[in-house]
Amino acid sequence: MKRPFEQAVTEHGTVVLRVCRAVLGVEEADDAWSETFLSALRAWADLPDDADVRGWLITIAHRKAIDVARARSRRAAPVDRLPEQLAPPSDRPDLALPDDALWSALAALPDKQRQCVAYHHVAGLPHTEVAAIVGGTPAAARRACADGIARLRLTYASKEVSSHV
Amino acid sequence: MSDNLIHTLSSLGDSETMSADVARLHDRLVERASATGSLDLGYRVVDSPVGRLLLAATDDGLARLAFESEDHDAVLDSLATRIGSRILRDDKRFDELAHELDDYFTGRRRTFDVPVDLRLAHGFRLEVLRHLRDIPYGHTESYGQVAASTGRATAVRAVGSACATNPVPIVVPCHRVVRSDGSLGGYLGGLAVKRRLLDLESAA
């Protein structure tokens, strides 16, 4: 790629952070973001000029998120801590989000559904690209995404409705 | 309600705190990238009495100083092609040069001490740039004199092009080269800037 790498950070930094948060939770998203952009920077010169930069970054972020999640599961018993980790850390009030319920609803999805929802709805990638990232067919990616959304509607959207009544 | 959910997903997080978080992560990225030698260039834009200046450096030193009139985005694109595209904005770098420039513009400094990387200049042009650094503050030479002192007395036009393509104006003082009749000649940053620099130096 012949363009300055700074442009990739300016144009896609926010969406990659959203995706990392949706997939990993707020606390671990920073590490995945950092690893993603450092690795992208090193490979930048070899990326073809007509490449889809956002899709390429999300592909790297997907792998880095898996690394971060693996490191977490090596560190501690994950199951009962997971929802807590996905909530904003209490010592970072600036990370407190209005849509806590959505974060926990996302966290409760099976991995593949959460990834497909993040890459399609948060990053805006088409199902074919999502399939190339998570593996399997585009139809399976579309289904996982739809299942994920249906489940989010049950958990998050119902809470949202009730909390605004 | 669906579309509420889909919309919320596409804009997760408050946009103001998101951009502050990305800025913080950007700074961390710059630090890690510089520490591991992964950058071709770091750059920063500073204010000056002659407009905003783009400063861009490799690990070896300042490789480009660009006036606002040159279009900083276009300059960065060209640096990406000529030096390398692993380029990040680095607001923590260049403190020393920014300080030297401030001092220069207020008449407290006559020479620049920061390392310069002249990899964008080659051959005769590079030779001319090296010579320019020897023209003292407050003095001028004509294009012909510069040509003569590089041993190619007839290369007056080539001296002109070397000045016109100087990658680090101000720091390498091509503004000190004028026409033999005393008129200004040309300048990358515009003649008003050249006049201003020469006036500044003659007043000090």
Side-chain angles (χ1 to χ4, degrees):
Chain A
M1 194 60 86
K2 302 261 178 9
R3 293 189 301 141
F5 185 72
E6 179 69 26
Q7 290 179 15
V9 187
T10 307
E11 287 165 25
H12 308 292
T14 304
V15 73
V16 171
L17 184 57
R18 282 199 178 106
V19 166
C20 292
R21 287 181 175 182
V23 171
L24 280 173
V26 171
E27 196 169 3
E28 288 175 331
D30 281 7
D31 284 344
W33 190 99
S34 296
E35 294 301 328
T36 298
F37 276 94
L38 194 58
S39 164
L41 170 69
R42 289 181 178 142
W44 182 245
D46 299 323
L47 186 70
D49 284 336
D50 59 354
D52 163 27
V53 176
R54 177 178 294 203
W56 179 70
L57 287 169
I58 300 296
T59 306
I60 301 174
H62 172 72
R63 293 198 299 265
K64 298 300 179 186
I66 290 173
D67 292 347
V68 169
R70 276 195 191 131
R72 172 221 298 154
S73 65
R74 275 199 301 271
R75 274 198 312 272
V79 181
D80 53 349
R81 288 193 53 210
L82 191 60
E84 187 181 292
Q85 287 185 333
L86 286 153
S90 51
D91 59 334
R92 290 289 308 277
D94 56 308
L95 292 180
L97 299 156
D99 32 21
D100 281 358
L102 181 53
W103 292 112
S104 13
L106 274 166
L109 292 182
D111 285 353
K112 188 130 183 183
Q113 289 181 14
R114 188 169 61 249
Q115 288 159 358
C116 291
V117 167
Y119 306 152
H120 182 66
H121 288 295
V122 181
L125 300 183
H127 293 297
T128 46
E129 259 185 83
V130 176
I133 296 173
V134 301
T137 64
R142 179 190 295 275
R143 201 158 49 241
C145 186
D147 290 348
I149 289 294
R151 199 143 158 178
L152 286 177
R153 280 196 212 297
L154 282 176
T155 49
Y156 166 70
S158 60
K159 275 182 203 159
E160 183 192 43
V161 169
S162 59
S163 69
H164 287 288
V165 170
Chain B
M1 93 180 171
S2 55
D3 310 316
N4 209 355
L5 172 63
I6 303 293
H7 174 77
T8 309
L9 281 169
S10 65
S11 56
L12 269 179
D14 170 66
S15 62
E16 225 168 88
T17 56
M18 279 306 274
S19 51
D21 287 336
V22 171
R24 173 176 53 80
L25 289 167
H26 178 282
D27 287 352
R28 190 200 283 183
L29 173 67
V30 171
E31 270 169 39
R32 289 183 66 191
S34 328
T36 53
S38 309
L39 280 182
D40 295 314
L41 287 158
Y43 73 90
R44 174 176 166 186
V45 175
V46 297
D47 285 321
S48 87
V50 294
R52 290 157 68 75
L53 301 176
L54 171 75
L55 314 175
T58 64
D59 284 343
D60 293 336
L62 182 72
R64 189 75 169 84
L65 185 156
F67 296 103
E68 208 165 353
S69 57
E70 295 179 76
D71 182 350
H72 292 170
D73 285 339
V75 171
L76 286 168
D77 282 346
S78 140
L79 288 172
T81 308
R82 296 179 67 190
I83 294 182
S85 57
R86 298 177 308 164
I87 298 178
L88 282 174
R89 180 173 47 75
D90 186 352
D91 289 332
K92 295 202 175 116
R93 203 152 155 179
F94 303 107
D95 280 352
E96 193 185 335
L97 176 56
H99 190 72
E100 290 187 8
L101 284 166
D102 278 348
D103 283 353
Y104 171 78
F105 283 115
T106 49
R108 291 192 304 259
R109 169 173 281 275
R110 295 172 166 237
T111 57
F112 291 93
D113 298 331
V114 294
V116 167
D117 178 352
L118 290 178
R119 75 176 70 188
L120 289 170
H122 304 279
F124 181 65
R125 289 180 179 179
L126 179 59
E127 228 175 288
V128 170
L129 296 181
R130 291 205 175 112
H131 170 75
L132 295 185
R133 303 203 78 178
D134 299 330
I135 306 178
Y137 183 94
H139 292 68
T140 56
E141 278 186 16
S142 70
Y143 292 95
Q145 281 172 310
V146 174
S149 52
T150 51
R152 285 177 58 183
T154 54
V156 180
R157 289 178 67 89
V159 168
S161 347
C163 292
T165 55
N166 176 8
V168 280
I170 304 179
V171 174
V172 168
C174 58
H175 57 275
R176 292 177 197 151
V177 185
V178 295
R179 290 211 176 114
S180 49
D181 64 6
S183 67
L184 285 181
Y187 196 58
L188 199 55
L191 288 180
V193 173
K194 187 169 187 174
R195 176 83 271 156
R196 182 161 184 159
L197 298 178
L198 291 173
D199 287 350
L200 165 79
E201 296 190 5
S202 62

